[in-house]
Amino acid sequence: DGGITQSPKYLFRKEGQNVTLSCEQNLNHDAMYWYRQDPGQGLRLIYYSQIVNDFQKGDIAEGYSVSREKKESFPLTVTSAQKNPTAFYLCASSIASKSSGQPQHFGDGTRLSIL
Amino acid sequence: AQKITQTQPGMFVQEKEAVTLDCTYDTSDPSYGLFWYKQPSSGEMIFLIYQGSYDQQNATEGRYSLNFQKARKSANLVISASQLGDSAMYFCALLSGGYNKLIFGAGTRLAVHP
């Protein structure tokens, strides 16, 4: 079945440590996105990518980095510069389109906590 | 600036009844879209329904319909014949400018009672 796979489901970070969240999709979508969700809140965009080897900052990119070396993969690194990383992270993908309402399809998320 | 507002932090409804979840938006773009997603307690986001700003008719998908009032800038989700499995968080999202960027509201938690 086609879909988006995020791993791990749960992740713990120590002080000063970088951690990388994995996101893989087999939907042949060009566009991929990373969101952060804090308890009781909506999703906020961290980074997005419309095409391989290109990505743009979202609304809350500070303390995060991404790469897009393959169409299927869009890993997110939470760096030690992100002082409050505890949150639920969701990866999404969609057909890249400027105008039509192509829905974003989401993975099951990764829950990151500080040790 | 683009903005989405969901004013109902929580709602409850009796099983088999209909419920309306409110969503208002603000955008200066003449062309935009509105999405509704469902988030069960397991965390995944499930796409429910989409309404384009130029669509002449309100969108419907099974038990879900969208009450789109463009002049009032509202896009309320109507769930008919509620089921226990409808208990979840519901998010309204605005398609912002180009390239399918979404702005999400804070969400409404729906509880369906037997």
Side-chain angles (χ1 to χ4, degrees):
Chain A
D1 282 352
I4 300 175
T5 302
Q6 289 188 241
S7 62
K9 195 172 179 69
Y10 299 95
L11 188 58
F12 299 92
R13 195 191 89 169
K14 295 180 181 178
E15 291 288 339
Q17 186 182 45
N18 292 353
V19 291
T20 297
L21 283 60
S22 171
C23 178
E24 303 277 334
Q25 54 99 0
N26 61 4
L27 299 168
N28 200 33
H29 286 165
D30 287 308
M32 296 188 75
Y33 313 81
W34 273 106
Y35 292 91
R36 170 181 171 138
Q37 186 179 26
D38 292 287
Q41 298 186 29
L43 280 64
R44 292 183 291 168
L45 184 63
I46 304 172
Y47 268 99
Y48 64 104
S49 168
Q50 297 295 318
I51 198 169
V52 174
N53 293 322
D54 187 44
F55 48 82
Q56 286 78 39
K57 292 182 179 180
D59 300 319
I60 55 165
E62 186 174 349
Y64 300 97
S65 66
V66 293
S67 63
R68 188 84 188 277
E69 297 176 1
K70 299 186 299 183
K71 185 176 184 177
E72 311 80 50
S73 178
F74 191 40
L76 173 75
T77 297
V78 184
T79 74
S80 56
Q82 172 50 245
K83 297 306 178 187
N84 185 21
T86 298
F88 188 52
Y89 291 86
L90 284 157
C91 178
S93 71
S94 74
I95 297 170
S97 170
K98 280 189 180 183
S99 59
S100 64
Q102 298 294 334
Q104 293 182 14
H105 300 266
F106 285 81
D108 290 343
T110 293
R111 211 167 285 279
L112 176 62
S113 302
I114 292 184
L115 282 177
Chain B
Q2 283 94 353
K3 187 179 179 182
I4 281 278
T5 302
Q6 294 181 256
T7 58
Q8 305 156 313
M11 292 280 287
F12 69 88
V13 64
Q14 290 292 123
E15 195 177 8
K16 299 180 185 178
E17 294 188 349
V19 63
T20 298
L21 306 183
D22 294 341
C23 173
T24 58
Y25 61 91
D26 191 15
T27 180
S28 56
D29 293 331
S31 176
Y32 54 90
L34 293 143
F35 294 81
W36 277 92
Y37 283 86
K38 172 185 178 181
Q39 187 179 42
S41 57
S42 51
E44 76 271 26
M45 296 285 283
I46 302 166
F47 165 68
L48 296 178
I49 197 167
Y50 167 78
Q51 179 83 44
S53 59
Y54 292 124
D55 293 343
Q56 294 297 314
Q57 296 194 345
N58 287 346
T60 60
E61 288 286 348
R63 294 187 298 112
Y64 305 108
S65 61
L66 210 151
N67 183 3
F68 182 49
Q69 298 189 39
K70 197 169 179 177
R72 294 186 178 184
K73 294 190 173 180
S74 73
N76 299 339
L77 177 70
V78 180
I79 305 174
S80 62
S82 296
Q83 302 171 356
L84 295 177
D86 293 334
S87 295
M89 284 289 289
Y90 288 82
F91 291 96
C92 183
L94 173 67
L95 184 65
S96 165
Y99 297 110
N100 219 11
K101 287 175 60 180
L102 291 179
I103 296 172
F104 284 84
T108 295
R109 183 172 297 280
L110 177 66
V112 181
H113 295 176

Tab-separated table of all heavy atoms in Angstrom, chain A residues 2 13 20 56 68 103 106:
chain	number	residue	atom	x	y	z
A	2	GLY	N	0.404	2.283	-0.719
A	2	GLY	CA	1.141	3.539	-0.726
A	2	GLY	C	0.880	4.322	0.543
A	2	GLY	O	-0.204	4.284	1.096
A	13	ARG	N	15.591	12.746	23.423
A	13	ARG	CA	16.812	13.496	23.143
A	13	ARG	C	17.469	13.949	24.431
A	13	ARG	O	16.784	14.405	25.355
A	13	ARG	CB	16.482	14.733	22.286
A	13	ARG	CG	17.712	15.364	21.648
A	13	ARG	CD	17.410	16.717	21.034
A	13	ARG	NE	17.575	17.796	22.001
A	13	ARG	CZ	17.581	19.083	21.676
A	13	ARG	NH1	17.418	19.441	20.424
A	13	ARG	NH2	17.740	20.020	22.607
A	20	THR	N	17.590	12.875	14.445
A	20	THR	CA	17.015	12.923	13.112
A	20	THR	C	15.758	12.067	13.048
A	20	THR	O	15.765	10.910	13.453
A	20	THR	CB	18.029	12.445	12.056
A	20	THR	OG1	19.151	13.336	12.054
A	20	THR	CG2	17.391	12.447	10.662
A	56	GLN	N	12.412	24.961	1.528
A	56	GLN	CA	12.221	26.312	2.047
A	56	GLN	C	11.843	26.260	3.516
A	56	GLN	O	11.205	25.309	3.979
A	56	GLN	CB	11.095	27.045	1.287
A	56	GLN	CG	11.472	27.483	-0.108
A	56	GLN	CD	11.427	26.330	-1.085
A	56	GLN	OE1	10.548	25.490	-1.008
A	56	GLN	NE2	12.375	26.289	-2.007
A	68	ARG	N	16.813	16.987	1.151
A	68	ARG	CA	15.910	16.326	0.205
A	68	ARG	C	16.758	15.801	-0.953
A	68	ARG	O	16.759	16.318	-2.064
A	68	ARG	CB	14.852	17.301	-0.324
A	68	ARG	CG	13.793	16.609	-1.161
A	68	ARG	CD	12.697	16.015	-0.392
A	68	ARG	NE	11.781	15.212	-1.156
A	68	ARG	CZ	10.750	15.695	-1.861
A	68	ARG	NH1	10.544	16.996	-1.920
A	68	ARG	NH2	9.958	14.855	-2.492
A	103	PRO	N	-4.835	17.486	-1.435
A	103	PRO	CA	-4.676	17.298	0.012
A	103	PRO	C	-3.296	16.793	0.357
A	103	PRO	O	-2.675	16.071	-0.423
A	103	PRO	CB	-5.743	16.260	0.361
A	103	PRO	CG	-5.972	15.519	-0.906
A	103	PRO	CD	-5.762	16.503	-2.005
A	106	PHE	N	-0.614	12.494	5.459
A	106	PHE	CA	0.255	12.543	6.628
A	106	PHE	C	0.717	11.164	7.062
A	106	PHE	O	0.018	10.155	6.884
A	106	PHE	CB	-0.493	13.201	7.794
A	106	PHE	CG	-0.628	14.685	7.669
A	106	PHE	CD1	-1.621	15.232	6.868
A	106	PHE	CD2	0.229	15.529	8.350
A	106	PHE	CE1	-1.753	16.605	6.746
A	106	PHE	CE2	0.105	16.913	8.238
A	106	PHE	CZ	-0.889	17.440	7.431
